[in-house]
Amino acid sequence: MFEQGSGDENRGASMASIADVAVAAGVSRQTVSNVFNAPHRVRKETRVRVEAAIEALGYQPNRAAQALRAQASRVIGIRIESIQADSLTTVHDRFLHALAEAVQAIDHHLLVFAADDPDDEIGTYSRLHRTGAVDAFVLYGIDEGDARPAQMLRLGAPFATFGRTGHDVDHLWVDVDDESGGAAVAQHLVARGHRRIGYIGFPEGSSVGERRVTGLRGVLDKHGLLGESAGLDLRGQDEVANGARLAAVLLDRPDPPTAVVAASDTLAVGVAQAARTRGLVIGRDLALVGFDDTPTAGVFDLSSVRQPIEAVARCIVRALLPGLPAGRSQVPACAEQSTPQPPHGRLLAPTLVVRASSAATTQGRASSTATTQGRASSTATTQGRASSAATTQGIKG
Amino acid sequence: MFEQGSGDENRGASMASIADVAVAAGVSRQTVSNVFNAPHRVRKETRVRVEAAIEALGYQPNRAAQALRAQASRVIGIRIESIQADSLTTVHDRFLHALAEAVQAIDHHLLVFAADDPDDEIGTYSRLHRTGAVDAFVLYGIDEGDARPAQMLRLGAPFATFGRTGHDVDHLWVDVDDESGGAAVAQHLVARGHRRIGYIGFPEGSSVGERRVTGLRGVLDKHGLLGESAGLDLRGQDEVANGARLAAVLLDRPDPPTAVVAASDTLAVGVAQAARTRGLVIGRDLALVGFDDTPTAGVFDLSSVRQPIEAVARCIVRALLPGLPAGRSQVPACAEQSTPQPPHGRLLAPTLVVRASSAATTQGRASSTATTQGRASSTATTQGRASSAATTQGIKG
DNA sequence: GGCCTCAATTTGATCGTTCAAATTGATACC
DNA sequence: GGTATCAATTTGAACGATCAAATTGAGGCC
């Protein structure tokens, strides 16, 4: 089996080339080319004739020939991560899909590759760059202290990152404003009457986790609740089991919090497990909010801070644009509005999606359980801080 | 911000070409080419000199030039699906990663694209094929009655599918032997002492779902248990809520099953929810087995039938190989062993991963709950049927 | 020496496209 | 009439690699 088989029907029959179209339309190659790339140079009558020939032959310009001539492949590269066994958080696949759409909008293709480790990853970037297979790269999941951006600058390969390293390396980056997300959660919970709010986050060193709790604390401080929530801040790897373990610590205290914020939906699911084994009903006895708004959050009716992944993908493509071959397609919009932005970077505000797990107030509590409660959910942007001047400062288009 | 910025450092500085290497080594272009493609034609002394020049200049053959000359891009294309809000089952991302690795093994690249609907998808295949951007395609999630394979044959674009349509269209396909998976689950449960086994599957029309239940029933029949499990077979869309709803029907019967098999981990999670609200402990009061062995299954300690996704990806690449440019890399192994295989296709056996949700027997029942139980899990291949003649009939290598 | 053989290497042509420069043809202006 | 102007179109060259054919040089043989 699998001997030759189908698949090479028209190998050798070759696709129509620009020369074939030229002959069919009775013009030269260049005129056909102009119909695509500089229509104003072609007389209307001629253009119609050429377009008819293009249609008839089903002609499409050969990508390899264009790439060779233009010294640009119109391909964006990104590493595809392997799924993590213990995490339910899948922002990566949503980002890949969003990025595929974003690069298509500027007539580019998306090339994905697997890498075993950061060294293999950098090696692959280098190879893809030197072979001309890829024009620019997108690096996912960059956090403080990551060595890859500096290595990329050394390679000389154009790139942009989702996430930022800090202030030392200046490269193009786009990131979610996690601080604003944390603040939105705090505002939401405080408005619902919670005063003792627990936090279960990523280990020290994750600046994403730190920013989330910083935003949270900022609002609590503003309401004079920082003291009441003192000592309710625990950390662990992003796994369900850790969420459960750490939540147990919080819930078994003599003065347990009435609300818990988890740095991810994965951790939040663990919190829900721990609460359940203690007979607590999420949404009634304990408010719970996660981050990322993965399918998991929807399924378990958990409130969650939704990342603007699609906007991130568009902004990254937009950031790369100046280094790419002249975009013939219209420049796509990136994000609606924006607060003042740092150089080289772009911060996008996430959105809190409120579901049954945190919808009730501490006074009049919800009567039904979280899992059977209705699906009605409200959303609220975290960008209350956006000044009226924001639109004039943001990216045009 | 985002004005020019970094990213075009060496635009115009141009990478080293084969001519540069030739000059540096004091030979002609063709000799450099031969060092790569026909080393036996080059004198050892010359080869060493050329290799030194290659190393010094960091030369890598230009992909676009090779593609133009060879009329083959060495790129495989696949559609990236958007994540489904209500499903926790993510086989797709695992497959993408596996496919990326598999195509890299034969020195190809993986191009992913997003499509709005099947028409858009086919249109994109056509465009990618006609522009020469992609040599061959992989179609994911093909099931009985799917029109896409027939359309692809009409396009004349080489392709292989994960999943099969039936017997009418002959194209290259690779699929998981779901019947064997269902049978393995049944054997496992029967061996644990279960006699009334419920099934919650996909709606009619999903041949994947049908095959799973067919395998299940086959074993039950063999043990004379088909009558006892009659009427315990329910169907619904692949969502957690449906799993819970359908499980409620089974569990609220006067004679509830002692074990439930769900056609996916997503449905299984729903079953677990329904059981919990009724005070039943999964693994003690009710055995539960899902399909796909997604991270979800691991997190909730659910037994699940693991798909051999990595092997599927390798087999698909292997199936496409004859239609691709001569593979210079050694042909990668596809799968270890195989039962007699149908023409054009390849069936791979899944593996049952037994976890706490179904490890106990109906006699001596586990004492702790499923979620806190240890993580020790055993695996058993479903390929007990493999004859000794299998290796001689399977794909070599 | 002349000639054949064979290995090692070079030259020319080509893949399909597009830039730059050259050509054509029509109109206008002195 | 001669010629400058301009739009429309064509021709030549180049991007970087590799196939096919030609060339070079060394060795063997009569």
Side-chain angles (χ1 to χ4, degrees):
Chain A
M1 56 160 297
F2 283 174
E3 63 287 336
Q4 289 311 324
S6 62
D8 45 4
E9 280 80 310
N10 48 9
R11 199 157 295 276
S14 71
M15 305 268 106
S17 81
I18 201 169
D20 299 321
V21 176
V23 170
V27 295
S28 69
R29 303 177 316 249
Q30 188 58 40
T31 300
V32 178
S33 176
N34 285 339
V35 168
F36 278 91
N37 306 311
H40 60 279
R41 291 196 184 168
V42 182
R43 196 158 27 124
K44 188 162 204 168
E45 184 193 327
T46 312
R47 207 187 64 224
V48 172
R49 194 151 37 93
V50 171
E51 279 166 347
I54 288 170
E55 182 73 22
L57 296 176
Y59 168 74
Q60 293 274 122
N62 182 288
R63 205 86 177 185
Q66 289 183 323
L68 179 58
R69 174 68 232 214
Q71 299 286 65
S73 59
R74 303 212 318 266
V75 172
I76 306 291
I78 185 169
R79 172 184 182 184
I80 182 170
E81 322 235 314
S82 56
I83 55 171
Q84 290 159 280
D86 294 316
S87 173
L88 298 173
T89 307
T90 52
V91 175
H92 182 64
D93 50 2
R94 195 174 137 215
F95 180 62
L96 275 187
H97 187 270
L99 192 61
E101 289 202 321
V103 304
Q104 276 163 224
I106 59 163
D107 194 24
H108 280 241
H109 290 158
L110 186 65
L111 185 151
V112 305
F113 63 90
D116 303 327
D117 53 69
D119 280 348
D120 186 19
E121 180 180 353
I122 295 291
T124 305
Y125 287 134
S126 171
R127 205 168 334 110
L128 290 173
H129 177 55
R130 294 207 311 261
T131 56
V134 169
D135 286 343
F137 298 91
V138 175
L139 272 64
Y140 173 88
I142 298 295
D143 202 352
E144 204 139 348
D146 201 312
R148 291 175 290 168
Q151 293 173 298
M152 291 299 284
L153 286 174
R154 226 168 296 134
L155 284 183
F159 72 102
T161 66
F162 182 177
R164 55 201 139 132
T165 53
H167 310 287
D168 47 342
V169 183
D170 60 334
H171 62 270
L172 299 171
W173 59 261
V174 177
D175 204 358
V176 173
D177 189 350
D178 289 302
E179 213 173 309
S180 140
V185 172
Q187 266 158 358
H188 162 68
L189 291 175
V190 168
R192 291 293 195 282
H194 296 279
R195 299 182 61 85
R196 291 183 52 73
I197 299 174
Y199 175 75
I200 292 179
F202 303 142
E204 304 278 328
S206 158
S207 47
V208 171
E210 290 314 305
R211 282 190 222 108
R212 287 174 181 181
V213 74
T214 298
L216 188 75
R217 281 192 189 132
V219 170
L220 292 186
D221 192 21
K222 210 171 62 185
H223 288 82
L225 299 173
L226 213 46
E228 293 196 54
S229 296
L232 301 179
D233 179 343
L234 301 175
R235 310 301 170 90
Q237 292 290 340
D238 188 29
E239 296 171 16
V240 172
N242 282 325
R245 187 172 54 77
L246 297 172
V249 174
L250 290 180
L251 298 177
D252 291 343
R253 289 170 61 113
D255 52 351
T258 61
V260 171
V261 178
S264 78
D265 290 339
T266 300
L267 290 171
V269 167
V271 173
Q273 283 186 347
R276 195 163 43 230
T277 55
R278 280 158 185 75
L280 302 174
V281 173
I282 294 293
R284 190 189 67 187
D285 308 317
L286 181 71
L288 180 58
V289 180
F291 270 83
D292 296 344
D293 193 34
T294 54
T296 305
V299 162
F300 294 111
D301 247 343
L302 299 178
S303 296
S304 194
V305 176
R306 183 173 180 81
Q307 313 292 3
I309 299 297
E310 287 73 19
V312 169
R314 284 195 300 270
C315 285
I316 283 184
V317 167
R318 199 172 201 299
L320 289 172
L321 216 48
L324 300 176
R328 22 186 66 20
S329 317
Q330 71 289 3
V331 181
C334 166
E336 314 70 32
Q337 55 190 146
S338 61
T339 46
Q341 297 293 335
H344 299 291
R346 188 85 151 83
L347 269 183
L348 301 179
T351 309
L352 174 63
V353 179
V354 177
R355 296 199 181 85
S357 72
S358 74
T361 64
T362 52
Q363 263 80 51
R365 291 193 145 152
S367 53
S368 59
T369 68
T371 49
T372 58
Q373 207 146 357
R375 288 307 177 86
S377 64
S378 64
T379 68
T381 179
T382 66
Q383 202 139 36
R385 310 181 303 172
S387 70
S388 60
T391 50
T392 62
Q393 294 175 334
I395 297 175
K396 289 186 290 289
Chain B
M1 57 161 294
F2 283 176
E3 64 287 338
Q4 289 311 324
S6 62
D8 44 5
E9 280 78 314
N10 49 8
R11 199 155 295 276
S14 71
M15 305 269 107
S17 82
I18 200 169
D20 300 321
V21 176
V23 170
V27 295
S28 69
R29 304 177 315 252
Q30 188 59 40
T31 300
V32 179
S33 175
N34 285 339
V35 169
F36 278 91
N37 306 311
H40 61 277
R41 292 198 184 167
V42 182
R43 198 160 26 125
K44 190 163 202 169
E45 184 193 329
T46 312
R47 207 186 64 222
V48 172
R49 194 152 35 95
V50 171
E51 280 167 348
I54 289 170
E55 183 72 22
L57 297 175
Y59 168 74
Q60 291 275 123
N62 182 288
R63 205 85 178 185
Q66 288 184 322
L68 179 58
R69 174 68 232 218
Q71 299 285 65
S73 60
R74 306 215 311 272
V75 172
I76 307 290
I78 185 169
R79 172 184 182 185
I80 182 170
E81 323 234 313
S82 55
I83 55 171
Q84 290 159 280
D86 296 315
S87 174
L88 297 174
T89 307
T90 53
V91 176
H92 182 63
D93 49 4
R94 196 175 138 213
F95 179 62
L96 275 187
H97 187 270
L99 192 61
E101 289 202 320
V103 304
Q104 276 163 224
I106 59 164
D107 195 24
H108 281 240
H109 290 158
L110 185 65
L111 185 151
V112 306
F113 63 91
D116 303 327
D117 52 70
D119 280 348
D120 186 19
E121 180 180 354
I122 295 290
T124 304
Y125 288 134
S126 172
R127 204 169 334 111
L128 290 172
H129 178 54
R130 292 207 312 260
T131 57
V134 169
D135 286 342
F137 298 91
V138 175
L139 273 64
Y140 173 88
I142 297 295
D143 201 353
E144 204 139 350
D146 201 312
R148 290 175 291 168
Q151 293 173 299
M152 291 299 285
L153 286 174
R154 227 168 295 135
L155 284 183
F159 72 103
T161 65
F162 182 178
R164 54 200 140 132
T165 54
H167 310 286
D168 45 343
V169 182
D170 59 335
H171 62 271
L172 299 171
W173 58 262
V174 177
D175 204 358
V176 174
D177 190 349
D178 290 302
E179 213 171 309
S180 140
V185 172
Q187 267 158 359
H188 163 67
L189 292 174
V190 168
R192 291 294 193 282
H194 296 279
R195 299 182 60 84
R196 291 183 51 74
I197 299 173
Y199 175 76
I200 293 180
F202 303 141
E204 305 277 329
S206 157
S207 47
V208 171
E210 290 313 306
R211 281 190 222 108
R212 288 175 180 179
V213 73
T214 299
L216 188 77
R217 282 193 188 131
V219 171
L220 293 185
D221 192 20
K222 211 171 61 185
H223 288 83
L225 299 173
L226 213 47
E228 294 195 54
S229 296
L232 301 179
D233 179 344
L234 301 176
R235 309 301 171 90
Q237 292 290 340
D238 187 29
E239 297 170 17
V240 172
N242 281 326
R245 188 172 53 77
L246 297 173
V249 174
L250 290 180
L251 297 176
D252 291 343
R253 290 171 58 116
D255 52 352
T258 62
V260 171
V261 178
S264 77
D265 289 339
T266 300
L267 290 171
V269 167
V271 173
Q273 283 186 346
R276 194 164 42 231
T277 55
R278 281 160 184 75
L280 301 174
V281 174
I282 295 293
R284 190 189 67 187
D285 309 317
L286 182 71
L288 179 57
V289 180
F291 271 83
D292 296 344
D293 193 35
T294 55
T296 305
V299 163
F300 295 110
D301 248 342
L302 299 177
S303 297
S304 193
V305 177
R306 183 172 180 82
Q307 313 291 2
I309 299 298
E310 288 73 19
V312 169
R314 283 194 301 269
C315 285
I316 283 184
V317 167
R318 199 174 201 300
L320 289 172
L321 216 49
L324 300 176
R328 22 185 66 20
S329 316
Q330 73 289 3
V331 181
C334 166
E336 314 70 32
Q337 55 188 150
S338 61
T339 46
Q341 297 293 335
H344 299 292
R346 188 86 151 82
L347 267 185
L348 300 180
T351 309
L352 174 62
V353 179
V354 177
R355 295 199 182 85
S357 72
S358 73
T361 63
T362 52
Q363 263 78 52
R365 289 192 148 154
S367 54
S368 59
T369 67
T371 51
T372 59
Q373 206 144 359
R375 289 305 178 87
S377 63
S378 64
T379 67
T381 178
T382 65
Q383 202 141 36
R385 310 182 302 175
S387 71
S388 60
T391 50
T392 62
Q393 293 175 335
I395 296 174
K396 290 185 292 286

